[in-house]
PDB file of all heavy atoms in Angstrom:
ATOM      1  N   THR A   1     -34.301 -23.878 -46.750  1.00 93.00           N
ATOM      2  CA  THR A   1     -34.958 -25.163 -47.021  1.00 93.00           C
ATOM      3  C   THR A   1     -35.265 -25.912 -45.732  1.00 93.00           C
ATOM      4  O   THR A   1     -36.376 -26.429 -45.539  1.00 93.00           O
ATOM      5  CB  THR A   1     -34.065 -26.034 -47.930  1.00 93.00           C
ATOM      6  OG1 THR A   1     -33.826 -25.341 -49.146  1.00 93.00           O
ATOM      7  CG2 THR A   1     -34.734 -27.371 -48.218  1.00 93.00           C
ATOM      8  N   GLU A   2     -34.293 -25.966 -44.825  1.00 96.00           N
ATOM      9  CA  GLU A   2     -34.501 -26.665 -43.554  1.00 96.00           C
ATOM     10  C   GLU A   2     -35.537 -25.943 -42.695  1.00 96.00           C
ATOM     11  O   GLU A   2     -36.329 -26.582 -42.008  1.00 96.00           O
ATOM     12  CB  GLU A   2     -33.173 -26.789 -42.806  1.00 96.00           C
ATOM     13  CG  GLU A   2     -32.192 -27.764 -43.434  1.00 96.00           C
ATOM     14  CD  GLU A   2     -30.953 -27.963 -42.595  1.00 96.00           C
ATOM     15  OE1 GLU A   2     -30.562 -27.013 -41.892  1.00 96.00           O
ATOM     16  OE2 GLU A   2     -30.384 -29.061 -42.639  1.00 96.00           O
ATOM     17  N   ILE A   3     -35.508 -24.609 -42.725  1.00 97.00           N
ATOM     18  CA  ILE A   3     -36.499 -23.843 -41.972  1.00 97.00           C
ATOM     19  C   ILE A   3     -37.904 -24.208 -42.441  1.00 97.00           C
ATOM     20  O   ILE A   3     -38.812 -24.460 -41.643  1.00 97.00           O
ATOM     21  CB  ILE A   3     -36.255 -22.328 -42.141  1.00 97.00           C
ATOM     22  CG1 ILE A   3     -34.994 -21.905 -41.369  1.00 97.00           C
ATOM     23  CG2 ILE A   3     -37.463 -21.523 -41.666  1.00 97.00           C
ATOM     24  CD1 ILE A   3     -34.570 -20.479 -41.642  1.00 97.00           C
ATOM     25  N   ARG A   4     -38.089 -24.288 -43.756  1.00 95.00           N
ATOM     26  CA  ARG A   4     -39.427 -24.513 -44.310  1.00 95.00           C
ATOM     27  C   ARG A   4     -39.895 -25.961 -44.179  1.00 95.00           C
ATOM     28  O   ARG A   4     -41.069 -26.239 -44.382  1.00 95.00           O
ATOM     29  CB  ARG A   4     -39.475 -24.029 -45.759  1.00 95.00           C
ATOM     30  CG  ARG A   4     -39.329 -22.499 -45.809  1.00 95.00           C
ATOM     31  CD  ARG A   4     -39.827 -21.863 -47.049  1.00 95.00           C
ATOM     32  NE  ARG A   4     -40.042 -20.431 -46.824  1.00 95.00           N
ATOM     33  CZ  ARG A   4     -40.311 -19.552 -47.785  1.00 95.00           C
ATOM     34  NH1 ARG A   4     -40.434 -19.972 -49.051  1.00 95.00           N
ATOM     35  NH2 ARG A   4     -40.502 -18.283 -47.504  1.00 95.00           N
ATOM     36  N   GLU A   5     -38.991 -26.838 -43.804  1.00 95.00           N
ATOM     37  CA  GLU A   5     -39.433 -28.185 -43.441  1.00 95.00           C
ATOM     38  C   GLU A   5     -40.230 -28.155 -42.140  1.00 95.00           C
ATOM     39  O   GLU A   5     -41.105 -28.993 -41.919  1.00 95.00           O
ATOM     40  CB  GLU A   5     -38.228 -29.110 -43.308  1.00 95.00           C
ATOM     41  CG  GLU A   5     -37.580 -29.475 -44.634  1.00 95.00           C
ATOM     42  CD  GLU A   5     -36.320 -30.311 -44.454  1.00 95.00           C
ATOM     43  OE1 GLU A   5     -35.980 -30.617 -43.284  1.00 95.00           O
ATOM     44  OE2 GLU A   5     -35.678 -30.644 -45.463  1.00 95.00           O
ATOM     45  N   HIS A   6     -39.921 -27.191 -41.287  1.00 96.00           N
ATOM     46  CA  HIS A   6     -40.658 -27.003 -40.032  1.00 96.00           C
ATOM     47  C   HIS A   6     -41.827 -26.038 -40.201  1.00 96.00           C
ATOM     48  O   HIS A   6     -42.931 -26.301 -39.728  1.00 96.00           O
ATOM     49  CB  HIS A   6     -39.709 -26.476 -38.938  1.00 96.00           C
ATOM     50  CG  HIS A   6     -38.717 -27.464 -38.456  1.00 96.00           C
ATOM     51  ND1 HIS A   6     -38.972 -28.355 -37.429  1.00 96.00           N
ATOM     52  CD2 HIS A   6     -37.449 -27.741 -38.868  1.00 96.00           C
ATOM     53  CE1 HIS A   6     -37.914 -29.113 -37.227  1.00 96.00           C
ATOM     54  NE2 HIS A   6     -36.976 -28.763 -38.084  1.00 96.00           N
ATOM     55  N   GLU A   7     -41.543 -24.904 -40.842  1.00 97.00           N
ATOM     56  CA  GLU A   7     -42.560 -23.875 -41.041  1.00 97.00           C
ATOM     57  C   GLU A   7     -42.513 -23.406 -42.500  1.00 97.00           C
ATOM     58  O   GLU A   7     -41.645 -22.616 -42.877  1.00 97.00           O
ATOM     59  CB  GLU A   7     -42.312 -22.688 -40.100  1.00 97.00           C
ATOM     60  CG  GLU A   7     -42.642 -22.958 -38.643  1.00 97.00           C
ATOM     61  CD  GLU A   7     -44.148 -23.049 -38.382  1.00 97.00           C
ATOM     62  OE1 GLU A   7     -44.934 -22.716 -39.297  1.00 97.00           O
ATOM     63  OE2 GLU A   7     -44.524 -23.463 -37.269  1.00 97.00           O
ATOM     64  N   PRO A   8     -43.427 -23.892 -43.344  1.00 97.00           N
ATOM     65  CA  PRO A   8     -43.350 -23.637 -44.779  1.00 97.00           C
ATOM     66  C   PRO A   8     -43.376 -22.162 -45.180  1.00 97.00           C
ATOM     67  O   PRO A   8     -42.892 -21.820 -46.260  1.00 97.00           O
ATOM     68  CB  PRO A   8     -44.581 -24.362 -45.329  1.00 97.00           C
ATOM     69  CG  PRO A   8     -44.865 -25.440 -44.331  1.00 97.00           C
ATOM     70  CD  PRO A   8     -44.492 -24.862 -43.004  1.00 97.00           C
ATOM     71  N   TYR A   9     -43.921 -21.298 -44.341  1.00 98.00           N
ATOM     72  CA  TYR A   9     -44.048 -19.890 -44.719  1.00 98.00           C
ATOM     73  C   TYR A   9     -43.063 -18.983 -43.972  1.00 98.00           C
ATOM     74  O   TYR A   9     -43.064 -17.775 -44.188  1.00 98.00           O
ATOM     75  CB  TYR A   9     -45.480 -19.403 -44.482  1.00 98.00           C
ATOM     76  CG  TYR A   9     -46.480 -20.086 -45.379  1.00 98.00           C
ATOM     77  CD1 TYR A   9     -47.146 -21.229 -44.961  1.00 98.00           C
ATOM     78  CD2 TYR A   9     -46.726 -19.614 -46.672  1.00 98.00           C
ATOM     79  CE1 TYR A   9     -48.055 -21.873 -45.796  1.00 98.00           C
ATOM     80  CE2 TYR A   9     -47.630 -20.250 -47.517  1.00 98.00           C
ATOM     81  CZ  TYR A   9     -48.288 -21.377 -47.069  1.00 98.00           C
ATOM     82  OH  TYR A   9     -49.175 -22.020 -47.888  1.00 98.00           O
ATOM     83  N   ALA A  10     -42.242 -19.558 -43.093  1.00 98.00           N
ATOM     84  CA  ALA A  10     -41.267 -18.747 -42.357  1.00 98.00           C
ATOM     85  C   ALA A  10     -40.082 -18.408 -43.257  1.00 98.00           C
ATOM     86  O   ALA A  10     -39.714 -19.187 -44.139  1.00 98.00           O
ATOM     87  CB  ALA A  10     -40.783 -19.488 -41.122  1.00 98.00           C
ATOM     88  N   ALA A  11     -39.490 -17.243 -43.029  1.00 96.00           N
ATOM     89  CA  ALA A  11     -38.354 -16.803 -43.837  1.00 96.00           C
ATOM     90  C   ALA A  11     -37.183 -16.458 -42.932  1.00 96.00           C
ATOM     91  O   ALA A  11     -37.361 -15.821 -41.884  1.00 96.00           O
ATOM     92  CB  ALA A  11     -38.732 -15.593 -44.671  1.00 96.00           C
ATOM     93  N   GLY A  12     -35.985 -16.899 -43.332  1.00 96.00           N
ATOM     94  CA  GLY A  12     -34.800 -16.574 -42.556  1.00 96.00           C
ATOM     95  C   GLY A  12     -33.563 -17.201 -43.148  1.00 96.00           C
ATOM     96  O   GLY A  12     -33.629 -18.028 -44.064  1.00 96.00           O
ATOM     97  N   LYS A  13     -32.437 -16.802 -42.609  1.00 95.00           N
ATOM     98  CA  LYS A  13     -31.136 -17.300 -43.070  1.00 95.00           C
ATOM     99  C   LYS A  13     -30.747 -18.595 -42.362  1.00 95.00           C
ATOM    100  O   LYS A  13     -30.078 -19.459 -42.920  1.00 95.00           O
ATOM    101  CB  LYS A  13     -30.081 -16.217 -42.803  1.00 95.00           C
ATOM    102  CG  LYS A  13     -28.712 -16.490 -43.385  1.00 95.00           C
ATOM    103  CD  LYS A  13     -27.825 -15.253 -43.166  1.00 95.00           C
ATOM    104  CE  LYS A  13     -26.481 -15.444 -43.880  1.00 95.00           C
ATOM    105  NZ  LYS A  13     -25.686 -16.512 -43.275  1.00 95.00           N
ATOM    106  N   ALA A  14     -31.174 -18.692 -41.087  1.00 97.00           N
ATOM    107  CA  ALA A  14     -30.871 -19.859 -40.261  1.00 97.00           C
ATOM    108  C   ALA A  14     -31.888 -19.873 -39.116  1.00 97.00           C
ATOM    109  O   ALA A  14     -32.658 -18.919 -38.945  1.00 97.00           O
ATOM    110  CB  ALA A  14     -29.442 -19.804 -39.726  1.00 97.00           C
ATOM    111  N   ALA A  15     -31.870 -20.940 -38.341  1.00 98.00           N
ATOM    112  CA  ALA A  15     -32.837 -21.020 -37.235  1.00 98.00           C
ATOM    113  C   ALA A  15     -32.352 -22.029 -36.198  1.00 98.00           C
ATOM    114  O   ALA A  15     -31.509 -22.887 -36.477  1.00 98.00           O
ATOM    115  CB  ALA A  15     -34.218 -21.415 -37.736  1.00 98.00           C
ATOM    116  N   LEU A  16     -32.877 -21.882 -35.017  1.00 98.00           N
ATOM    117  CA  LEU A  16     -32.701 -22.877 -33.953  1.00 98.00           C
ATOM    118  C   LEU A  16     -34.072 -23.446 -33.646  1.00 98.00           C
ATOM    119  O   LEU A  16     -35.031 -22.690 -33.423  1.00 98.00           O
ATOM    120  CB  LEU A  16     -32.082 -22.244 -32.706  1.00 98.00           C
ATOM    121  CG  LEU A  16     -31.853 -23.175 -31.506  1.00 98.00           C
ATOM    122  CD1 LEU A  16     -30.559 -22.791 -30.762  1.00 98.00           C
ATOM    123  CD2 LEU A  16     -33.024 -23.138 -30.518  1.00 98.00           C
ATOM    124  N   TYR A  17     -34.179 -24.762 -33.632  1.00 98.00           N
ATOM    125  CA  TYR A  17     -35.442 -25.434 -33.323  1.00 98.00           C
ATOM    126  C   TYR A  17     -35.322 -26.082 -31.948  1.00 98.00           C
ATOM    127  O   TYR A  17     -34.389 -26.852 -31.689  1.00 98.00           O
ATOM    128  CB  TYR A  17     -35.768 -26.476 -34.378  1.00 98.00           C
ATOM    129  CG  TYR A  17     -37.008 -27.284 -34.055  1.00 98.00           C
ATOM    130  CD1 TYR A  17     -38.252 -26.670 -33.980  1.00 98.00           C
ATOM    131  CD2 TYR A  17     -36.930 -28.657 -33.831  1.00 98.00           C
ATOM    132  CE1 TYR A  17     -39.391 -27.406 -33.684  1.00 98.00           C
ATOM    133  CE2 TYR A  17     -38.073 -29.398 -33.542  1.00 98.00           C
ATOM    134  CZ  TYR A  17     -39.294 -28.762 -33.467  1.00 98.00           C
ATOM    135  OH  TYR A  17     -40.427 -29.489 -33.167  1.00 98.00           O
ATOM    136  N   ALA A  18     -36.253 -25.736 -31.056  1.00 97.00           N
ATOM    137  CA  ALA A  18     -36.279 -26.286 -29.703  1.00 97.00           C
ATOM    138  C   ALA A  18     -37.598 -27.051 -29.530  1.00 97.00           C
ATOM    139  O   ALA A  18     -38.659 -26.442 -29.318  1.00 97.00           O
ATOM    140  CB  ALA A  18     -36.166 -25.191 -28.650  1.00 97.00           C
ATOM    141  N   PRO A  19     -37.562 -28.367 -29.629  1.00 97.00           N
ATOM    142  CA  PRO A  19     -38.803 -29.165 -29.663  1.00 97.00           C
ATOM    143  C   PRO A  19     -39.546 -29.220 -28.332  1.00 97.00           C
ATOM    144  O   PRO A  19     -40.724 -29.586 -28.317  1.00 97.00           O
ATOM    145  CB  PRO A  19     -38.323 -30.561 -30.068  1.00 97.00           C
ATOM    146  CG  PRO A  19     -36.900 -30.613 -29.651  1.00 97.00           C
ATOM    147  CD  PRO A  19     -36.374 -29.214 -29.833  1.00 97.00           C
ATOM    148  N   GLU A  20     -38.915 -28.855 -27.219  1.00 97.00           N
ATOM    149  CA  GLU A  20     -39.566 -28.985 -25.916  1.00 97.00           C
ATOM    150  C   GLU A  20     -40.495 -27.818 -25.578  1.00 97.00           C
ATOM    151  O   GLU A  20     -41.261 -27.892 -24.610  1.00 97.00           O
ATOM    152  CB  GLU A  20     -38.512 -29.118 -24.818  1.00 97.00           C
ATOM    153  CG  GLU A  20     -37.707 -30.407 -24.918  1.00 97.00           C
ATOM    154  CD  GLU A  20     -36.485 -30.400 -24.029  1.00 97.00           C
ATOM    155  OE1 GLU A  20     -35.595 -29.550 -24.241  1.00 97.00           O
ATOM    156  OE2 GLU A  20     -36.412 -31.233 -23.110  1.00 97.00           O
ATOM    157  N   ALA A  21     -40.440 -26.729 -26.340  1.00 97.00           N
ATOM    158  CA  ALA A  21     -41.351 -25.607 -26.108  1.00 97.00           C
ATOM    159  C   ALA A  21     -42.783 -26.078 -26.316  1.00 97.00           C
ATOM    160  O   ALA A  21     -43.066 -26.909 -27.174  1.00 97.00           O
ATOM    161  CB  ALA A  21     -41.023 -24.454 -27.040  1.00 97.00           C
ATOM    162  N   ALA A  22     -43.698 -25.522 -25.537  1.00 97.00           N
ATOM    163  CA  ALA A  22     -45.081 -25.986 -25.592  1.00 97.00           C
ATOM    164  C   ALA A  22     -46.047 -24.827 -25.386  1.00 97.00           C
ATOM    165  O   ALA A  22     -45.659 -23.722 -24.971  1.00 97.00           O
ATOM    166  CB  ALA A  22     -45.322 -27.061 -24.529  1.00 97.00           C
ATOM    167  N   SER A  23     -47.295 -25.093 -25.667  1.00 97.00           N
ATOM    168  CA  SER A  23     -48.368 -24.123 -25.482  1.00 97.00           C
ATOM    169  C   SER A  23     -49.370 -24.703 -24.498  1.00 97.00           C
ATOM    170  O   SER A  23     -49.767 -25.873 -24.620  1.00 97.00           O
ATOM    171  CB  SER A  23     -49.049 -23.833 -26.822  1.00 97.00           C
ATOM    172  OG  SER A  23     -50.098 -22.899 -26.669  1.00 97.00           O
ATOM    173  N   VAL A  24     -49.773 -23.906 -23.509  1.00 97.00           N
ATOM    174  CA  VAL A  24     -50.652 -24.372 -22.455  1.00 97.00           C
ATOM    175  C   VAL A  24     -51.826 -23.406 -22.302  1.00 97.00           C
ATOM    176  O   VAL A  24     -51.703 -22.219 -22.592  1.00 97.00           O
ATOM    177  CB  VAL A  24     -49.877 -24.522 -21.113  1.00 97.00           C
ATOM    178  CG1 VAL A  24     -49.400 -23.161 -20.613  1.00 97.00           C
ATOM    179  CG2 VAL A  24     -50.705 -25.206 -20.054  1.00 97.00           C
ATOM    180  N   ASP A  25     -52.960 -23.920 -21.864  1.00 97.00           N
ATOM    181  CA  ASP A  25     -54.105 -23.056 -21.566  1.00 97.00           C
ATOM    182  C   ASP A  25     -53.900 -22.494 -20.164  1.00 97.00           C
ATOM    183  O   ASP A  25     -54.177 -23.151 -19.167  1.00 97.00           O
ATOM    184  CB  ASP A  25     -55.410 -23.849 -21.644  1.00 97.00           C
ATOM    185  CG  ASP A  25     -56.642 -22.959 -21.539  1.00 97.00           C
ATOM    186  OD1 ASP A  25     -56.642 -22.030 -20.715  1.00 97.00           O
ATOM    187  OD2 ASP A  25     -57.607 -23.192 -22.275  1.00 97.00           O
ATOM    188  N   SER A  26     -53.395 -21.269 -20.087  1.00 97.00           N
ATOM    189  CA  SER A  26     -53.008 -20.694 -18.800  1.00 97.00           C
ATOM    190  C   SER A  26     -54.200 -20.456 -17.880  1.00 97.00           C
ATOM    191  O   SER A  26     -54.089 -20.596 -16.662  1.00 97.00           O
ATOM    192  CB  SER A  26     -52.244 -19.389 -19.006  1.00 97.00           C
ATOM    193  OG  SER A  26     -53.024 -18.426 -19.688  1.00 97.00           O
ATOM    194  N   GLN A  27     -55.350 -20.118 -18.444  1.00 97.00           N
ATOM    195  CA  GLN A  27     -56.512 -19.878 -17.590  1.00 97.00           C
ATOM    196  C   GLN A  27     -57.003 -21.165 -16.950  1.00 97.00           C
ATOM    197  O   GLN A  27     -57.317 -21.195 -15.751  1.00 97.00           O
ATOM    198  CB  GLN A  27     -57.618 -19.203 -18.394  1.00 97.00           C
ATOM    199  CG  GLN A  27     -57.229 -17.807 -18.865  1.00 97.00           C
ATOM    200  CD  GLN A  27     -58.430 -16.958 -19.225  1.00 97.00           C
ATOM    201  OE1 GLN A  27     -59.581 -17.292 -18.935  1.00 97.00           O
ATOM    202  NE2 GLN A  27     -58.169 -15.823 -19.847  1.00 97.00           N
ATOM    203  N   GLN A  28     -57.050 -22.254 -17.724  1.00 98.00           N
ATOM    204  CA  GLN A  28     -57.454 -23.531 -17.129  1.00 98.00           C
ATOM    205  C   GLN A  28     -56.457 -23.964 -16.050  1.00 98.00           C
ATOM    206  O   GLN A  28     -56.836 -24.561 -15.033  1.00 98.00           O
ATOM    207  CB  GLN A  28     -57.579 -24.603 -18.201  1.00 98.00           C
ATOM    208  CG  GLN A  28     -58.810 -24.452 -19.088  1.00 98.00           C
ATOM    209  CD  GLN A  28     -59.109 -25.725 -19.870  1.00 98.00           C
ATOM    210  OE1 GLN A  28     -59.059 -26.835 -19.329  1.00 98.00           O
ATOM    211  NE2 GLN A  28     -59.452 -25.567 -21.139  1.00 98.00           N
ATOM    212  N   TYR A  29     -55.194 -23.692 -16.300  1.00 98.00           N
ATOM    213  CA  TYR A  29     -54.157 -24.024 -15.307  1.00 98.00           C
ATOM    214  C   TYR A  29     -54.395 -23.286 -13.995  1.00 98.00           C
ATOM    215  O   TYR A  29     -54.348 -23.883 -12.900  1.00 98.00           O
ATOM    216  CB  TYR A  29     -52.789 -23.685 -15.885  1.00 98.00           C
ATOM    217  CG  TYR A  29     -51.656 -23.660 -14.884  1.00 98.00           C
ATOM    218  CD1 TYR A  29     -51.297 -24.809 -14.171  1.00 98.00           C
ATOM    219  CD2 TYR A  29     -50.931 -22.499 -14.662  1.00 98.00           C
ATOM    220  CE1 TYR A  29     -50.251 -24.774 -13.254  1.00 98.00           C
ATOM    221  CE2 TYR A  29     -49.881 -22.454 -13.767  1.00 98.00           C
ATOM    222  CZ  TYR A  29     -49.545 -23.598 -13.059  1.00 98.00           C
ATOM    223  OH  TYR A  29     -48.517 -23.564 -12.157  1.00 98.00           O
ATOM    224  N   VAL A  30     -54.660 -21.986 -14.055  1.00 98.00           N
ATOM    225  CA  VAL A  30     -54.889 -21.207 -12.839  1.00 98.00           C
ATOM    226  C   VAL A  30     -56.114 -21.708 -12.087  1.00 98.00           C
ATOM    227  O   VAL A  30     -56.088 -21.870 -10.856  1.00 98.00           O
ATOM    228  CB  VAL A  30     -55.043 -19.705 -13.184  1.00 98.00           C
ATOM    229  CG1 VAL A  30     -55.502 -18.910 -11.960  1.00 98.00           C
ATOM    230  CG2 VAL A  30     -53.708 -19.148 -13.694  1.00 98.00           C
ATOM    231  N   TYR A  31     -57.184 -22.000 -12.812  1.00 98.00           N
ATOM    232  CA  TYR A  31     -58.396 -22.484 -12.147  1.00 98.00           C
ATOM    233  C   TYR A  31     -58.190 -23.864 -11.541  1.00 98.00           C
ATOM    234  O   TYR A  31     -58.754 -24.190 -10.483  1.00 98.00           O
ATOM    235  CB  TYR A  31     -59.575 -22.469 -13.114  1.00 98.00           C
ATOM    236  CG  TYR A  31     -60.295 -21.136 -13.134  1.00 98.00           C
ATOM    237  CD1 TYR A  31     -59.912 -20.132 -14.007  1.00 98.00           C
ATOM    238  CD2 TYR A  31     -61.316 -20.872 -12.231  1.00 98.00           C
ATOM    239  CE1 TYR A  31     -60.553 -18.901 -14.010  1.00 98.00           C
ATOM    240  CE2 TYR A  31     -61.966 -19.653 -12.217  1.00 98.00           C
ATOM    241  CZ  TYR A  31     -61.578 -18.659 -13.113  1.00 98.00           C
ATOM    242  OH  TYR A  31     -62.202 -17.435 -13.089  1.00 98.00           O
ATOM    243  N   GLU A  32     -57.380 -24.701 -12.166  1.00 98.00           N
ATOM    244  CA  GLU A  32     -57.096 -26.012 -11.590  1.00 98.00           C
ATOM    245  C   GLU A  32     -56.273 -25.861 -10.315  1.00 98.00           C
ATOM    246  O   GLU A  32     -56.516 -26.563  -9.319  1.00 98.00           O
ATOM    247  CB  GLU A  32     -56.351 -26.884 -12.598  1.00 98.00           C
ATOM    248  CG  GLU A  32     -56.086 -28.311 -12.110  1.00 98.00           C
ATOM    249  CD  GLU A  32     -57.346 -29.067 -11.734  1.00 98.00           C
ATOM    250  OE1 GLU A  32     -58.375 -28.905 -12.431  1.00 98.00           O
ATOM    251  OE2 GLU A  32     -57.324 -29.816 -10.729  1.00 98.00           O
ATOM    252  N   LEU A  33     -55.298 -24.959 -10.321  1.00 98.00           N
ATOM    253  CA  LEU A  33     -54.555 -24.680  -9.086  1.00 98.00           C
ATOM    254  C   LEU A  33     -55.495 -24.223  -7.975  1.00 98.00           C
ATOM    255  O   LEU A  33     -55.366 -24.646  -6.823  1.00 98.00           O
ATOM    256  CB  LEU A  33     -53.512 -23.583  -9.339  1.00 98.00           C
ATOM    257  CG  LEU A  33     -52.183 -23.963  -9.960  1.00 98.00           C
ATOM    258  CD1 LEU A  33     -51.329 -22.703 -10.158  1.00 98.00           C
ATOM    259  CD2 LEU A  33     -51.419 -24.957  -9.091  1.00 98.00           C
ATOM    260  N   ALA A  34     -56.453 -23.371  -8.338  1.00 98.00           N
ATOM    261  CA  ALA A  34     -57.401 -22.875  -7.339  1.00 98.00           C
ATOM    262  C   ALA A  34     -58.239 -24.014  -6.754  1.00 98.00           C
ATOM    263  O   ALA A  34     -58.450 -24.075  -5.533  1.00 98.00           O
ATOM    264  CB  ALA A  34     -58.321 -21.821  -7.971  1.00 98.00           C
ATOM    265  N   ARG A  35     -58.711 -24.917  -7.613  1.00 98.00           N
ATOM    266  CA  ARG A  35     -59.469 -26.070  -7.102  1.00 98.00           C
ATOM    267  C   ARG A  35     -58.608 -26.935  -6.191  1.00 98.00           C
ATOM    268  O   ARG A  35     -59.063 -27.393  -5.132  1.00 98.00           O
ATOM    269  CB  ARG A  35     -60.005 -26.894  -8.276  1.00 98.00           C
ATOM    270  CG  ARG A  35     -61.212 -26.303  -8.968  1.00 98.00           C
ATOM    271  CD  ARG A  35     -61.811 -27.274  -9.970  1.00 98.00           C
ATOM    272  NE  ARG A  35     -60.973 -27.409 -11.159  1.00 98.00           N
ATOM    273  CZ  ARG A  35     -61.108 -26.639 -12.235  1.00 98.00           C
ATOM    274  NH1 ARG A  35     -62.032 -25.697 -12.279  1.00 98.00           N
ATOM    275  NH2 ARG A  35     -60.327 -26.827 -13.287  1.00 98.00           N
ATOM    276  N   GLU A  36     -57.364 -27.131  -6.596  1.00 98.00           N
ATOM    277  CA  GLU A  36     -56.480 -27.992  -5.804  1.00 98.00           C
ATOM    278  C   GLU A  36     -56.205 -27.395  -4.419  1.00 98.00           C
ATOM    279  O   GLU A  36     -56.248 -28.120  -3.418  1.00 98.00           O
ATOM    280  CB  GLU A  36     -55.156 -28.188  -6.561  1.00 98.00           C
ATOM    281  CG  GLU A  36     -54.235 -29.190  -5.893  1.00 98.00           C
ATOM    282  CD  GLU A  36     -52.959 -29.425  -6.661  1.00 98.00           C
ATOM    283  OE1 GLU A  36     -52.722 -28.749  -7.674  1.00 98.00           O
ATOM    284  OE2 GLU A  36     -52.184 -30.305  -6.239  1.00 98.00           O
ATOM    285  N   VAL A  37     -55.931 -26.101  -4.358  1.00 98.00           N
ATOM    286  CA  VAL A  37     -55.612 -25.518  -3.045  1.00 98.00           C
ATOM    287  C   VAL A  37     -56.851 -25.461  -2.154  1.00 98.00           C
ATOM    288  O   VAL A  37     -56.753 -25.661  -0.931  1.00 98.00           O
ATOM    289  CB  VAL A  37     -54.960 -24.121  -3.173  1.00 98.00           C
ATOM    290  CG1 VAL A  37     -53.677 -24.195  -3.976  1.00 98.00           C
ATOM    291  CG2 VAL A  37     -55.900 -23.078  -3.751  1.00 98.00           C
ATOM    292  N   GLN A  38     -58.011 -25.239  -2.743  1.00 98.00           N
ATOM    293  CA  GLN A  38     -59.233 -25.243  -1.938  1.00 98.00           C
ATOM    294  C   GLN A  38     -59.510 -26.645  -1.393  1.00 98.00           C
ATOM    295  O   GLN A  38     -59.923 -26.789  -0.238  1.00 98.00           O
ATOM    296  CB  GLN A  38     -60.404 -24.726  -2.754  1.00 98.00           C
ATOM    297  CG  GLN A  38     -60.354 -23.214  -2.993  1.00 98.00           C
ATOM    298  CD  GLN A  38     -61.501 -22.735  -3.854  1.00 98.00           C
ATOM    299  OE1 GLN A  38     -61.606 -23.092  -5.029  1.00 98.00           O
ATOM    300  NE2 GLN A  38     -62.379 -21.939  -3.288  1.00 98.00           N
ATOM    301  N   ASP A  39     -59.280 -27.662  -2.196  1.00 98.00           N
ATOM    302  CA  ASP A  39     -59.449 -29.041  -1.720  1.00 98.00           C
ATOM    303  C   ASP A  39     -58.480 -29.362  -0.580  1.00 98.00           C
ATOM    304  O   ASP A  39     -58.773 -30.215   0.267  1.00 98.00           O
ATOM    305  CB  ASP A  39     -59.226 -30.037  -2.867  1.00 98.00           C
ATOM    306  CG  ASP A  39     -60.364 -30.027  -3.889  1.00 98.00           C
ATOM    307  OD1 ASP A  39     -61.442 -29.474  -3.575  1.00 98.00           O
ATOM    308  OD2 ASP A  39     -60.157 -30.545  -5.007  1.00 98.00           O
ATOM    309  N   ALA A  40     -57.330 -28.655  -0.588  1.00 98.00           N
ATOM    310  CA  ALA A  40     -56.320 -28.874   0.460  1.00 98.00           C
ATOM    311  C   ALA A  40     -56.595 -28.047   1.703  1.00 98.00           C
ATOM    312  O   ALA A  40     -55.824 -28.106   2.672  1.00 98.00           O
ATOM    313  CB  ALA A  40     -54.934 -28.552  -0.082  1.00 98.00           C
ATOM    314  N   GLY A  41     -57.686 -27.274   1.696  1.00 97.00           N
ATOM    315  CA  GLY A  41     -58.059 -26.505   2.882  1.00 97.00           C
ATOM    316  C   GLY A  41     -57.694 -25.044   2.861  1.00 97.00           C
ATOM    317  O   GLY A  41     -57.899 -24.322   3.844  1.00 97.00           O
ATOM    318  N   VAL A  42     -57.133 -24.561   1.764  1.00 98.00           N
ATOM    319  CA  VAL A  42     -56.794 -23.141   1.637  1.00 98.00           C
ATOM    320  C   VAL A  42     -58.060 -22.341   1.377  1.00 98.00           C
ATOM    321  O   VAL A  42     -58.906 -22.745   0.568  1.00 98.00           O
ATOM    322  CB  VAL A  42     -55.777 -22.922   0.501  1.00 98.00           C
ATOM    323  CG1 VAL A  42     -55.536 -21.439   0.249  1.00 98.00           C
ATOM    324  CG2 VAL A  42     -54.459 -23.633   0.809  1.00 98.00           C
TER     325      VAL A  42
END
């Protein structure tokens, strides 16, 4: 019951919920790093 309060279709006996996990656009991140280092003279 508690699991399905978070994920209605997930199945299991118990679970650990970690709210700080996140999803990021890794490609945009890499390109932003590239712009930043080039601006810094790299």
Side-chain angles (χ1 to χ4, degrees):
T1 301
E2 289 186 330
I3 288 172
R4 293 201 162 171
E5 287 176 2
H6 289 272
E7 287 288 350
Y9 294 93
K13 188 174 186 293
L16 180 144
Y17 175 64
E20 294 168 297
S23 180
V24 65
D25 188 319
S26 60
Q27 295 200 12
Q28 286 196 44
Y29 166 62
V30 171
Y31 272 90
E32 184 58 38
L33 278 178
R35 283 189 287 270
E36 186 178 6
V37 300
Q38 287 178 295
D39 289 345
V42 173

